[in-house]
Amino acid sequence: MLRYALGRLLGTVPVLFGVTLLVFLMAWVTPGDPVVAMLGEASQGISRQALEDLRRELGLDRPLPVQYVGYVAGLLRGDLGDSIRSRRPVLAEIRDRLPATIELALAALTIAVALGVALGVLAAVRQRTWVDGAAIAVALVGVSIPVFWSGFLLMMVFALELGWLPASGRGTWQHLVLPAFTVGVSSAAFIARITRGAVLEALAQDYVRTAKAKGLAPRRVVLRHALRNALLPIVTVVGLQLGGLLGGAVLTETVFAWPGVGRLLVDAIVARDLPLVQGSVLVVSLLFILVNLAVDLSYAAINPRVRYG
Amino acid sequence: MRTLLVALALFLGASLAAGQTLTTAIGANPPTLDPQLTFNGFSFHVSNQVFETLVRVTPEGDVVPGLATDWSYPDPTTLRLELREGVAFHDGAPFDADAVVASLGRILDPATAAPGRFVLSAIQEVRAVDARTVEIVTDPPFAPLLSHLAHPVAAIVPAALADTLARAPVGTGPFTFVRWVDGSEVVLAANADYWGGAPAIDEVVVRIIPEISTQIVELRSGGVDMIFNVPPDNFLTLQADPAITTGAIDGWSSTHLIMNVAHPKLADLRVRQALAHAIDKALITDEMLRGLAKPGVAPIPATVRYAATLEEPYPYDVEGARALLAEAGVADLRLRLDLYQNPDLEAVAQVLQFAFAEIGVDLEIRVQDFSAYTQAVQSDDMELAMTGWGTVTLDADYTLYAFFHSGEIPGNNRSRWADPEIDALLQRGRDEPDDAVRAEVYALVQDAAANALPMVTLYYPRFTFAKRPAVQGESIAFSWILLDLRGATLAD
């Protein structure tokens, strides 16, 4: 299993280089100039000569492929380069934002799993009753409502009308509640649908009939036998959700002024801050890969028949 | 019991006085807090509280003393400034002529790669005459120099701390830097030793809240005290709220429809005149922008030094516009309008599309991100372009030279309007120290431009803000960037 994990980790290296190449190629084919993007409307007051000087002084006059080679050379030494706009090391920029992203992702995931699995199991057990219908409807609404809207709705009710929670920002646990619920509920919807399907499938298996025939309590049959065997697809979808959340829940971060990686990446893209875009995408991809690896490794714990090698 | 009450009252009074925190919200994380390393409004909004410039511009547009108390021109190329006594940087280092020389030297040094160096690029030399006097030399003469020294990039920074200013700014201003939680907030504290007297407010918290709707919820729920650049619809809603005070002031901005006079489709003045006649500017300012803009004629708003007051030469007149097109022998005209992502500009573009359709001109709108837009309008096949502009030095030269000097084609002179007489006038405006002569020169340029139509100045947006009524005594000139909190108080 250790060998398997190490092999998978080594395998991520070419994937990550592929990611940087992809980001670089996108930057290459996109028209426009980072100095103008950085200055925005203000660039209009600047003479062409002054813009060219600035480009040269910032090292942005070199052809992009040359810049990319320099970037990769730095990467091999563990140097992600400096942001063009802030001139800080990219690693420092990401380090400042990562805790907020991880905090929100874990809180949202906890809500999503609790809510999603409960709804999914309930719907499966009470299949084709009003409980099932209601659970599916809730899940459908959760998937369909844009977080932009649900986030504002929660903010209006709990911050403005009731005054129970701060509207935005990060600091205390109270600040975490609204964004975590906003993201959590929309992820819960996916988990609920997968859980329902997986539990229904498990409930149709022979061993469940056997368990029922033995006279086990229905609760025990569902939780110990059906849910346990339905875990594989659930864990897979939870892992995908977590990987996605670690990439930054951009819209939720924007609505709630949550200082996470998602907003950092979007700001960097708008400003054409290529080193920062590269670095953020790289770190997010790495996290995604690690979460997926953890999910794969957990299969063995869930189902002893799974072997790595 | 009575002593206890008195003590309690004293304690409460003291804690109220000690705990005055003013919280503002801005829409993005400042990239840096070193004003010499950026040209970003979010950076300037914060750095302006910590750093100061040699001179300032008042809301009335007058240049007044800042870190310099007096100035004179011993000859047309030399500006001599007397520096304020008893000023120190927040770390205790003295503010003197050497500090000014080092600070301006740093921004002018190519190694600094300062995005705002162009503001000061006319400067040839800065020298200390004695501890309290500096001389700034420009050759040739550069009449707008004082206005440029008031720009945020010209702030005097302690050059010895060059490497750390970006994250830990140290200036001479009314507020000192406390901390910056990236993407979340910047916290500043009153500078008790400020030369102008300590500010009444003890702490300023600048929160970073990207979404305007969130800013409004925070304002209404008490999370922030002041927000800026409120869009027209939100502004009207807040205006009706008795718990909120709103304000709209004339700013330094202008919005233009630029026409490429070198393009075959637009070379005929009558075609440009027809387009100008087709636009109902009052419809845009009063209906679409809800009165938060003024119709424009001159290329610069009245807040800018040497702005001309002009009669509208091409008032809204659809029949006249059609007649001009017929006279020019133009039928089935199709034009492309370039603009960048900006909700106001995109809405105005649709108004123009409709207005031009009325005179039989088919308008194609192309919206791109800013740098792609810039590339597009610098190419020769640009036809029409829309842009928002700020005369950030508040001197006519900044805008008129960039817009109309032939040497700026195609960089900033996107109309490609080239006229040797205009070039000569613009150069004279830079050379001539006399106020009256400059005013005359710039009046001629503005009048010529309004008639020759290299561009239609559509409107001058007003700058909006909203605050809790408790916030008083703050001063904002022209832009949220220049928020001055030295005299601000919080009533509750």
Side-chain angles (χ1 to χ4, degrees):
Chain A
M1 181 156 154
L2 190 67
R3 265 189 62 185
Y4 171 78
L6 280 177
R8 281 279 302 266
L9 278 178
L10 271 180
T12 62
V13 174
V15 173
L16 291 179
F17 271 104
V19 166
T20 66
L21 189 63
L22 207 65
V23 172
F24 156 75
L25 286 174
M26 280 193 270
W28 204 17
V29 297
T30 316
D33 160 47
V35 170
V36 169
M38 173 174 77
L39 294 166
E41 280 185 6
S43 67
Q44 300 177 110
I46 309 179
S47 72
R48 269 202 146 179
Q49 185 57 48
L51 280 177
E52 253 163 55
D53 291 346
L54 188 59
R55 208 169 287 136
R56 192 179 56 246
E57 287 156 15
L58 291 170
L60 299 172
D61 60 329
R62 298 171 299 155
L64 264 182
V66 175
Q67 290 184 41
Y68 180 69
V69 170
Y71 178 78
V72 171
L75 210 55
L76 293 174
R77 295 191 305 271
D79 180 4
L80 290 182
D82 291 344
S83 152
I84 297 172
R85 264 193 346 154
S86 74
R87 307 191 188 187
R88 287 177 84 202
V90 166
L91 211 53
E93 295 267 4
I94 297 170
R95 206 178 43 217
D96 275 355
R97 301 296 189 94
L98 211 51
T101 290
I102 291 175
E103 187 180 305
L104 179 58
L106 292 180
L109 195 75
T110 308
I111 293 169
V113 170
L115 211 62
V117 172
L119 273 180
V121 170
L122 206 62
V125 174
R126 298 268 182 272
Q127 196 198 0
R128 299 205 184 100
T129 66
W130 67 269
V131 178
D132 184 20
I136 291 302
V138 168
L140 197 67
V141 169
V143 177
S144 316
I145 293 183
V147 293
F148 218 75
W149 191 80
S150 59
F152 271 119
L153 197 69
L154 288 175
M155 196 191 293
M156 297 296 265
V157 173
F158 291 99
L160 193 58
E161 295 304 325
L162 298 172
W164 292 352
L165 294 164
S168 70
R170 176 172 181 246
T172 62
W173 66 266
Q174 285 101 325
H175 285 95
L176 183 58
V177 175
L178 292 181
F181 259 94
T182 305
V183 184
V185 167
S186 85
S187 296
F190 285 102
I191 295 173
R193 287 172 55 175
I194 298 292
T195 304
R196 179 180 179 270
V199 170
L200 274 180
E201 198 177 314
L203 283 175
Q205 300 292 324
D206 289 344
Y207 58 78
V208 169
R209 204 172 45 203
T210 311
K212 278 183 186 163
K214 275 198 320 190
L216 286 181
R219 175 188 298 260
R220 200 176 156 80
V221 172
V222 171
L223 294 182
R224 285 298 297 262
H225 295 269
L227 184 58
R228 171 102 203 225
N229 284 287
L231 270 183
L232 273 185
I234 298 174
V235 167
T236 306
V237 75
V238 167
L240 283 174
Q241 295 280 328
L242 178 62
L245 290 177
L246 288 173
V250 179
L251 286 179
T252 309
E253 286 179 9
T254 304
V255 170
F256 290 102
W258 191 261
V261 171
R263 261 174 60 207
L264 183 72
L265 179 57
V266 170
D267 286 351
I269 290 171
V270 171
R272 297 280 173 90
D273 194 339
L274 189 55
L276 190 52
V277 175
Q278 288 274 25
S280 311
V281 172
L282 207 59
V283 169
V284 165
S285 309
L286 183 64
L287 285 175
F288 196 89
I289 291 169
L290 289 180
V291 168
N292 271 302
L293 179 59
V295 167
D296 284 357
L297 292 180
S298 74
Y299 288 163
I302 297 165
N303 186 343
R305 280 174 301 183
V306 175
R307 290 275 178 278
Y308 303 98
Chain B
M1 184 67 196
R2 235 172 85 187
T3 35
L4 196 70
L5 279 178
V6 170
L8 190 70
L10 277 175
F11 171 76
L12 281 177
S15 63
L16 274 182
Q20 286 219 320
T21 298
L22 178 83
T23 307
T24 67
I26 58 175
N29 193 46
T32 170
L33 295 180
D34 183 339
Q36 296 193 343
L37 296 188
T38 190
F39 209 77
N40 180 291
F42 299 104
S43 290
F44 292 151
H45 178 79
V46 181
S47 70
N48 281 343
Q49 311 303 328
V50 177
F51 297 97
E52 293 178 292
T53 44
L54 292 166
V55 293
R56 314 173 70 98
V57 180
T58 65
E60 293 73 40
D62 299 318
V63 178
V64 295
L67 287 174
T69 51
D70 202 6
W71 49 88
S72 59
Y73 280 93
D75 62 74
T77 60
T78 308
L79 171 66
R80 178 179 293 164
L81 296 136
E82 306 297 332
L83 304 181
R84 194 174 288 280
E85 306 246 9
V87 178
F89 288 103
H90 298 152
D91 65 343
F95 164 79
D96 55 17
D98 288 339
V100 173
V101 173
S103 178
L104 292 177
R106 177 174 176 249
I107 189 171
L108 291 170
D109 182 356
T112 307
R117 185 173 75 227
F118 75 97
V119 173
L120 302 172
S121 58
I123 297 176
Q124 301 269 293
E125 190 194 350
V126 184
R127 55 182 178 236
V129 177
D130 59 48
R132 303 248 66 87
T133 313
V134 289
E135 285 183 349
I136 300 178
V137 180
T138 61
D139 192 19
F142 188 66
L145 181 61
L146 266 181
S147 307
H148 286 229
L149 290 174
H151 191 279
V153 298
I156 303 304
V157 307
L161 302 178
D163 294 338
T164 56
L165 288 175
R167 300 292 298 182
V170 172
T172 60
F175 293 93
T176 60
F177 173 78
V178 177
R179 67 172 181 276
W180 176 8
V181 185
D182 205 69
S184 196
E185 63 183 18
V186 183
V187 179
L188 309 172
N191 173 8
D193 301 322
Y194 183 58
W195 57 265
I201 284 173
D202 296 288
E203 194 179 54
V204 176
V205 178
V206 182
R207 288 187 53 192
I208 295 137
I209 303 178
E211 182 55 43
I212 186 72
S213 313
T214 309
Q215 291 188 6
I216 289 170
V217 172
E218 288 282 15
L219 182 70
R220 297 180 118 163
S221 61
V224 306
D225 300 308
M226 195 166 191
I227 62 175
F228 312 94
N229 301 316
V230 185
D233 285 339
N234 303 97
F235 187 83
L236 291 190
T237 314
L238 287 174
Q239 218 170 17
D241 186 338
I244 303 292
T245 304
T246 52
I249 55 177
D250 294 335
W252 60 28
S253 304
S254 44
T255 303
H256 308 272
L257 172 68
I258 302 168
M259 309 198 258
N260 181 358
V261 302
H263 196 282
K265 289 183 188 174
L266 294 159
D268 190 329
L269 176 63
R270 289 169 299 188
V271 174
R272 304 202 297 276
Q273 287 171 331
L275 295 178
H277 274 307
I279 302 168
D280 184 355
K281 292 176 184 174
L283 177 80
I284 296 173
T285 56
D286 299 350
E287 302 299 324
M288 218 198 75
L289 298 170
R290 313 294 200 118
L292 293 171
K294 289 180 174 174
V297 184
I300 41 179
T303 46
V304 173
R305 194 173 272 249
Y306 314 117
T309 315
L310 302 173
E311 282 288 311
E312 172 61 82
Y314 307 109
Y316 179 52
D317 174 8
V318 176
E319 285 312 314
R322 287 188 187 132
L324 278 162
L325 281 184
E327 196 187 311
V330 172
D332 299 327
L333 185 60
R334 273 188 67 93
L335 291 169
R336 186 184 56 234
L337 173 66
D338 276 300
L339 65 150
Y340 48 92
Q341 287 150 351
N342 173 309
D344 281 352
L345 294 190
E346 288 169 43
V348 173
Q350 285 172 13
V351 174
L352 295 182
Q353 193 175 42
F354 187 76
F356 291 168
E358 290 286 292
I359 61 166
V361 174
D362 192 13
L363 189 69
E364 175 206 342
I365 300 171
R366 180 166 67 177
V367 186
Q368 300 183 82
D369 77 78
F370 193 83
S371 64
Y373 157 87
T374 301
Q375 202 167 324
V377 295
Q378 287 179 348
S379 110
D380 286 339
D381 69 354
M382 170 203 138
E383 296 172 6
L384 300 173
M386 250 172 80
T387 191
W389 178 276
T391 308
V392 293
T393 61
L394 294 156
D395 187 291
D397 166 75
Y398 184 84
T399 296
L400 298 182
Y401 195 94
F403 275 173
F404 302 133
H405 196 281
S406 64
E408 296 281 327
I409 299 174
N412 293 312
N413 182 345
R414 286 156 191 182
S415 64
R416 282 85 170 165
W417 188 44
D419 182 335
E421 273 179 50
I422 296 294
D423 285 357
L425 285 170
L426 289 169
Q427 192 54 51
R428 180 124 188 260
R430 284 192 167 179
D431 294 344
E432 180 61 63
D434 188 83
D435 245 10
V437 178
R438 292 192 75 205
E440 200 185 310
V441 161
Y442 290 128
L444 289 172
V445 174
Q446 291 171 77
D447 191 54
N451 286 291
L453 280 178
M455 58 173 62
V456 176
T457 299
L458 296 169
Y459 58 90
Y460 313 123
R462 303 184 81 199
F463 153 75
T464 56
F465 64 90
K467 61 176 185 176
R468 301 177 70 76
V471 182
Q472 279 171 4
E474 86 286 353
S475 152
I476 310 176
F478 316 109
S479 161
W480 64 290
I481 289 172
L482 300 182
L483 174 68
D484 182 352
L485 292 173
R486 290 182 297 177
T489 56
L490 268 172
D492 58 1

